Amino acid sequence: ERRSNLSVQEFIEEYEKPNRPVILTDVVKSWPAFQRWDWDVLEQEFGERKVAVGPVSMTMKDYSRYCQDCTEEKPLYVFDKHFAKSAPALADDYSV
């Protein structure tokens, strides 16, 4: 599902609490992460830390390699509620 103009409360109630995925279509371009993050930055800042990727856990470095080589129709995505706590240097680059 794609959504725009969600308040924090709407996001929490409709997506975070029921653990439902959503694509936010109107926020990313305003984030510093949109300009700054690429695989090199993510690997440098976060490479050896584990992230929740679908039903498994892997390092960001391994996830980067997976994404760059992936040809699956339904690839795995990072869905890690604790990302900001694990990578405080990156947490300043985005907001919800």
Side-chain angles (χ1 to χ4, degrees):
E1 182 174 356
R2 294 176 179 268
R3 294 285 305 271
S4 62
N5 299 315
L6 281 177
S7 70
V8 172
Q9 190 59 38
E10 287 172 317
F11 175 80
I12 291 169
E13 293 299 322
E14 296 179 35
Y15 299 99
E16 184 176 22
K17 282 183 180 178
N19 203 25
R20 290 180 51 216
V22 63
I23 297 172
L24 304 175
T25 61
D26 60 344
V27 296
V28 174
K29 289 183 182 179
S30 67
W31 293 348
F34 187 71
Q35 298 295 322
R36 188 170 102 77
W37 290 9
D38 61 20
W39 287 120
D40 291 335
V41 169
L42 291 174
E43 286 186 29
Q44 180 182 357
E45 299 278 343
F46 198 65
E48 297 306 316
R49 293 191 182 107
K50 296 251 182 182
V51 291
V53 179
V56 299
S57 177
M58 64 177 70
T59 65
M60 181 59 80
K61 186 175 184 177
D62 288 340
Y63 181 68
S64 169
R65 301 286 188 289
Y66 163 80
C67 288
Q68 293 174 54
D69 295 336
C70 182
T71 58
E72 298 172 26
E73 188 173 310
K74 294 182 179 181
L76 297 173
Y77 289 94
V78 172
F79 188 73
D80 194 330
K81 292 180 181 183
H82 305 290
F83 180 79
K85 291 178 185 174
S86 299
L90 299 177
D92 292 338
D93 290 348
Y94 69 96
S95 63
V96 175

